[in-house]
Amino acid sequence: MPASPDVVILGGGVIGLTSAYFLARAGVSVHVYDRGDLGREASWAGAGIVPPGHPDRAATPADRLRGIGSARFPELSAELRTLTGVDNGYRRCGALEFLSPDDSDVVDLWRAEAIAFERLTVAESRALEPLGTVEGEPYLLPGCAQVRNPWHLRALIAACERAGVALRPGVGADGWEFTDARVTGVRLSSGAVVRAGNYLLATGAWSKPLLQPLGHTPHVYPVRGQIAAVRGAAGSRVLMMGKRYIVPRGDGLTLIGSTEEPEAGFENRTTPEGIGGLVAFAQAVLRFANGPIVEASWSGLRPGSPDGLPYLGPVPGTDRVFVAAGHFRAGVQLSVGTAQVVTELLTGRPPCVELRPFALDRRPGANAKTAFRS
Ligand SMILES: Cc1cc2nc3c(=O)[nH]c(=O)nc-3n(C[C@H](O)[C@H](O)[C@H](O)COP(=O)(O)OP(=O)(O)OC[C@H]3O[C@@H](n4cnc5c(N)ncnc54)[C@H](O)[C@@H]3O)c2cc1C
């Protein structure tokens, strides 16, 4: 293992680990530092919905990143399984999305992107899934998929190890070493300084303190999300209703998500109100023979940004520091496209998406309507 690798990645969530694996596959030597355990923050807590998309038909760079995820998750999952023996639970389970009449432009976005969908009646949706009370107009999305986050992270960690990535859990970054105003290393919590050809900041909701010394104060902030895992519901497709969703795992466990609580700050815990609200939602939407049995509940801190888009690309004012953080509600689905862009940037190739909308110094505009909100 080289003492000074080509790339040091700070943060071992789905963004840092996928980037590390893609870089290592491209022949780049990589070290990943995480101040905690690898893959135990937002990436572990998420529901793993991977909505459909078509990169070549995408209207925006963000849609293109999602489309790359939709298109490449099957082959990545197969590759990880072959390499590591770990199944990440990826499967194209399909979804029912319930839209309000105000959401007709969402359907236009799907149509423009050639996403397969079918408008159903409520009766037809009930014939597909055992539904209770639902609001809105049901649409069948056969291309929607899901991955099991803890399994996917386990597969990524094992794949990184196989590919020669040096993984350093329990060692955080405290700041930067500067020489003549140029970044020349990262100061680690161990007291050591590590130097590399390039640095990638993938520290999720905790990115601000590492960006400030580089002259940037983007609003990356934690947005707590809680999830309840219940038993006792049938059903096979993801159900999406605005920002709430139901994800049947296929083994009797059903995830009910999620709250969106920016006011909780960095307080990463479940609350009786949060989980109670999710269980009530599940009780209304699903049919249970004996009521939902809550088997587990957890929370995670999404890395929020003012316009919901990630920060992705070079850090202006530096020549060797890059950022991939702030993926908010979509870090798993955007992880493959993000890792592809990171690999292109760090191996001197033009990025496959336009990076201006993801620039650290962008002025966030009004939130554009997105094709998927869950
Ligand atoms: C309840 C919930 C449901 C979700 N559902 C979905 C979904 O269905 N589909 C989807 O695509 N996305 C979903 N998301 C969003 C997704 O999980 C996140 O966008 C994604 O996990 C962000 O990944 P990340 O690697 O940037 O952050 P994280 O996973 O938070 O990783 C950041 C890492 O950086 C480390 N770190 C922090 N500070 C330092 C430091 N100074 N030095 C070194 N390491 C540091 C942390 O320990 C952590 O491991 C959901 C999120 C939540 C919470």
Side-chain angles (χ1 to χ4, degrees), residues 60-63 65 218-221 303-312 324-330 334 354-360 362-370:
T60 67
D63 290 336
L65 285 185
H219 193 37
V220 187
Y221 58 97
S305 73
D307 51 14
L309 296 179
Y311 295 100
L312 176 59
H327 292 71
F328 192 34
R329 294 182 68 100
L334 301 182
E354 197 220 318
L355 293 181
R356 190 63 219 156
F358 308 126
L360 261 178
R362 71 180 180 259
R363 197 169 295 164
N367 278 5
K369 194 100 181 180
T370 51

Side-chain angles (χ1 to χ4, degrees), residues 11-15 33-36 41-43 45-49 172-173 202-204 206 210 225 227 245 258 300 302-303 327-333:
V14 73
I15 298 299
Y33 292 88
D34 195 297
R35 66 176 185 186
E41 293 288 354
S43 303
I49 301 170
T203 39
W206 298 269
L210 289 168
I227 287 190
Y245 47 78
S258 174
R302 305 177 183 95
H327 292 71
F328 192 34
R329 294 182 68 100
V332 173
Q333 55 193 266

